[in-house]
Amino acid sequence: MPELTYREAVRDALATAMRADEDVFIMGEDIAEMGGSMGVTQGLVDEFGPERVRNTPISEMAIVGTGIGAAMQGMRPVVEIMYEDFLTLSLEQIVNQAAKHRYMSGGQLKVPLTIRTQGGAGWSPGAQHAQQLEAWLVHIPGLKVVFASTPEDVRGLLWTSIYEDNPVIFFEHRTLYGIKASVPDEIEPIPLGRARVHREGEDVTVIATGRLVHESLAAAEEAEKEGVSVEVVDPRTLQPLDEDALVGSVKKTNRAVVAHEAVTRMGFGAEVAAVLQYQAFDWLDAPIERVGARFVPLPFAPVMEEFVVPHSEDVLEAIRRTVGRS
């Protein structure tokens, strides 16, 4: 099995889909010769040319709107929004157009549009270039939302997203681009709505997304030294959500911690906690713990950024609280 970085896995999914299907093309700011702000699309214009690897003006609303139009005409565009903070500039197109057309047309129209975007803290980008806004998009009926945390998952989920007939918001975390993992020789599509158990455990379930999957695995290693067995589950797709897998894990361990980098208030973890409270109340032996960023715009100073966003130590403290060790 070859070893790919997260960045290379995204690129491989895009290139393989474009080779297999002429209806697939990509567009976004500086994605051609420059290869995108994070180097994900490096070299694709050399293979596929500027018609299928399209640089766009700096207008997120135009990028998404063009993608919607192309999708409704039968193509499968993958558009890139350079930073997920900039999704705010295209929300009218995403929320009122992409998410609604299939429903409002009674199924006569499909919108097979994939919107890739990246964000996250860890390199001092400041308050306007590192927000985690996944909870905003999960709230919108008609959208599907993906947040992959590993190279093998990002490749399989991106392939599935490209061939999904509804719009998909595909989140990536910039600090994951360099991590490596073995992946199958051939892309194995991963169904949307299927969680992944990264680590089996007996005493507490940690449900984590994005970068916090890796922080939670590190916390689980430390907890094991203290005699606490931790199960780590990654939903992978936030909408649809694999409620059965999450609830089943908590029914086994009887405790839950939900962890993400986004701010805790109204974050995706609040919805997960509500699902667990409703479906697994009789199995819970302790309150559900939530781990997320502090409720403040992300500071620029590295020491303050570290203070605001959660790390493995925060997950470990939540684990300790829920098992009565803190």
Side-chain angles (χ1 to χ4, degrees):
M1 296 175 68
E3 189 174 63
L4 295 180
T5 65
Y6 188 103
R7 175 185 288 105
E8 291 167 338
V10 175
R11 185 186 303 135
D12 185 50
L14 293 171
T16 304
M18 292 173 74
R19 292 184 195 115
D21 188 346
E22 291 187 354
D23 287 332
V24 179
F25 72 97
I26 62 177
M27 62 180 179
E29 297 167 13
D30 296 325
I31 68 166
E33 292 80 8
M34 181 177 169
S37 62
M38 297 294 151
V40 173
T41 55
Q42 195 73 49
L44 294 184
V45 71
D46 298 328
E47 178 176 354
F48 299 103
E51 288 293 308
R52 297 183 68 196
V53 183
R54 288 178 168 261
N55 284 329
T56 67
I58 304 175
S59 174
E60 285 73 17
M61 184 174 286
I63 296 168
V64 174
T66 303
I68 293 169
M72 290 194 299
Q73 290 297 312
M75 303 191 77
R76 294 190 176 272
V78 182
V79 306
E80 178 181 307
I81 301 299
M82 187 180 287
Y83 292 88
E84 68 181 81
D85 311 69
F86 304 161
L87 286 172
T88 57
L89 298 164
S90 58
L91 278 181
E92 198 285 327
Q93 290 292 322
I94 295 173
V95 172
N96 288 326
Q97 307 305 324
K100 305 295 192 295
H101 284 315
R102 191 170 189 183
Y103 176 79
M104 294 178 67
S105 70
Q108 295 178 81
L109 293 172
K110 297 178 181 179
V111 189
L113 169 66
T114 304
I115 302 174
R116 288 184 49 247
T117 190
Q118 59 83 31
W123 61 298
S124 295
Q128 296 174 324
H129 293 78
Q131 296 172 83
Q132 297 279 266
L133 302 176
E134 62 271 12
W136 290 19
L137 285 307
V138 174
H139 189 68
I140 306 302
L143 299 178
K144 299 197 174 182
V145 182
V146 178
F147 197 175
S149 63
T150 67
E152 61 271 29
D153 286 350
V154 80
R155 191 172 71 151
L157 286 165
L158 182 53
W159 177 273
T160 302
S161 298
I162 291 170
Y163 286 97
E164 167 63 43
D165 285 336
N166 296 289
V168 178
I169 313 298
F170 198 93
F171 287 101
E172 300 161 17
H173 196 290
R174 69 169 53 84
T175 64
L176 299 181
Y177 281 132
I179 66 170
K180 290 185 176 182
S182 296
V183 301
D185 290 318
E186 302 291 332
I187 294 178
E188 296 180 355
I190 298 172
L192 302 187
R194 184 176 297 176
R196 175 181 177 183
V197 177
H198 282 269
R199 177 191 174 103
E200 298 276 355
E202 299 297 330
D203 297 325
V204 56
T205 296
V206 178
I207 298 166
T209 60
R211 179 181 65 84
L212 265 293
V213 171
H214 303 275
E215 300 292 332
S216 298
L217 288 168
E221 292 288 336
E222 291 300 313
E224 186 175 35
K225 298 175 184 177
E226 302 175 10
V228 179
S229 175
V230 180
E231 183 150 300
V232 178
V233 183
D234 178 2
R236 300 194 293 192
T237 62
L238 312 187
Q239 176 59 35
L241 179 65
D242 189 353
E243 296 184 9
D244 290 343
L246 306 187
V247 171
S249 177
V250 172
K251 285 183 176 181
K252 179 178 75 170
T253 66
N254 307 118
R255 295 173 178 86
V257 175
V258 184
H260 51 61
E261 187 179 297
V263 295
T264 307
R265 178 63 57 85
M266 301 298 290
F268 177 70
E271 175 65 19
V272 173
V275 169
L276 298 178
Q277 176 76 4
Y278 185 75
Q279 298 190 38
F281 178 80
D282 289 337
W283 284 265
L284 287 169
D285 289 341
I288 300 167
E289 294 285 341
R290 292 167 57 197
V291 177
R294 299 173 189 271
F295 195 66
V296 62
L298 193 70
F300 174 76
V303 66
M304 289 301 296
E305 180 189 54
E306 287 289 297
F307 175 72
V308 166
V309 299
H311 301 282
S312 61
E313 296 86 355
D314 302 290
V315 179
L316 182 58
E317 280 302 310
I319 291 169
R320 288 170 176 157
R321 286 194 300 270
T322 196
V323 297
R325 300 288 182 86
S326 177

